[in-house]
Amino acid sequence: MIINSQKRSFGRGAKVSLFTLGTMRATESIEKMYSIIKNAYYVGINHIETAPSYGDAESLIGNSIKKLAIEENIKEKNWVITSKVLPKGDFDFLKNNFKKSLKNLNRKKINNLAIHGLNLKQHLDWVLAGEGKKFISWILEKELVDQVGFSSHGSYSLIKDAINCEVFTFCSLHLHYLDQSKIALAEEAIKKGMGVLAISPADKGGRLYSPSDILIEASKPFHPLELAYRFLLAKGITTLSLGATNKKDFEFAHKLRNSFEKLTKLEKSALNKIEEVSNERLNSTKCEQCRSCLPCPNEVPIPEILRLRNISIGYGQLEFSKERYNLIGKAGHWWEEKNSSFCEECNECVPRCPTKLDIPNLLKETHNLLIENPTKRLWG
């Protein structure tokens, strides 16, 4: 049975469903990938996101789509594919790897290609004046892709530069209800006619598939994840990535497949309730994420650390916050490099804060709350 679902324009490429199937978690076997893609189709998803760095994902997708065409009569042309390349290597390296992607996906061309992990200034320079520029020109000239975009875990200013560089027509960003710091960038991209994909709003957005009792109670009569999805869709975000591992993971994708309208009064009321509860729990210590505290002389990512404090205390998502905090310094340019222990209490940030938060003390508290090894406590 064909499921009708809302499709949105995605830059200059083919229209995509409101949810995108992320395939990084379905690479165990051809049976697993086939099942996940089949389930995605029957809840109205037509957009698949993958990458060569996802192990055997591309070949598993190619074989699964071919098998679905035979066994379920789901035409291969129904699928919109987005794959990625890392911002490194010379032209020949990139060209050869891209040809492997085409072969693995059983395609003569790919709908969308993203520069994956445009996280540093040198990555953007590689695109604008290096081997990346040469590669992008080649794939577009040969019509091997419909459009080129980027994904980024980088700074606000870097993403803004990438959006405005006139090379890309879509982007994948961390856009989450519990972290709205990049929403303004997404809105800017949309105004330019770019497609915008929200990266992992369920998992990286706060592990909302496993909400705290605080969130569950405040969100009633909705599930917190459903509200988070609706928040993003109502903002006009083109599509939301969904890293499904089983059929149950598609529940909200199916329910919200045509959900592009503005927030209802009931949804707004539930979102307001969540914020009221969070504000009450944080009292006068909530970081408003204005970023006025920056730059820090010691390059401590103050807003990101205090955001994790907001999420752990205000929303009760402690395990998620611990996971993210303990990744600091362990994920290269994909995540922050310095945690609260690099704060030297110079207090330069304090007078810049509009609400005059005691930032050094809050950084201490956050470190002691979230650090995985309690014996490594900060400041005694």
Side-chain angles (χ1 to χ4, degrees), residues 137-153:
S137 296
W138 174 75
I139 56 173
L140 291 174
E141 180 184 334
K142 296 294 184 181
E143 298 184 348
L144 296 174
V145 298
D146 292 329
Q147 60 177 343
V148 175
F150 72 94
S151 70
S152 182
H153 299 235

Side-chain angles (χ1 to χ4, degrees), residues 177-178 206 208 211-219 270-287 305-321 365-366 369-370:
Y177 172 63
L178 298 187
L208 293 178
S212 66
D213 291 341
I214 295 163
L215 275 178
I216 290 171
E217 184 63 29
S219 300
L271 289 168
N272 288 337
K273 178 64 175 176
I274 291 172
E275 293 313 306
E276 287 172 8
V277 170
S278 172
N279 290 338
E280 183 178 338
R281 291 175 61 82
L282 288 162
N283 199 357
S284 60
T285 66
K286 182 179 180 180
C287 173
I305 291 173
L306 295 188
R307 175 175 61 82
L308 294 177
R309 181 182 182 276
N310 287 351
I311 292 172
S312 59
I313 297 175
Y315 303 108
Q317 294 299 92
L318 182 60
E319 291 309 310
F320 165 79
S321 300
E365 178 190 309
T366 304
L369 176 67
L370 301 181

Side-chain angles (χ1 to χ4, degrees), residues 259-294:
S259 184
F260 57 91
E261 67 278 355
K262 293 181 179 179
L263 293 171
T264 65
K265 288 183 179 180
L266 190 58
E267 287 169 336
K268 288 180 180 178
S269 176
L271 289 168
N272 288 337
K273 178 64 175 176
I274 291 172
E275 293 313 306
E276 287 172 8
V277 170
S278 172
N279 290 338
E280 183 178 338
R281 291 175 61 82
L282 288 162
N283 199 357
S284 60
T285 66
K286 182 179 180 180
C287 173
E288 298 293 348
Q289 297 289 288
C290 67
R291 308 183 74 81
S292 299
C293 55
L294 300 178

Side-chain angles (χ1 to χ4, degrees), residues 162-173:
I163 287 171
N164 291 315
C165 76
E166 306 302 328
V167 172
F168 306 113
T169 53
F170 73 92
C171 59
S172 301
L173 305 175

Side-chain angles (χ1 to χ4, degrees), residues 327-350:
L327 272 178
I328 297 176
K330 300 175 184 176
H333 58 75
W334 293 94
W335 185 223
E336 303 298 342
E337 296 183 3
K338 295 184 177 181
N339 66 19
S340 297
S341 65
F342 286 84
C343 173
E344 295 184 356
E345 299 186 80
C346 67
N347 288 319
E348 285 191 23
C349 54
V350 176

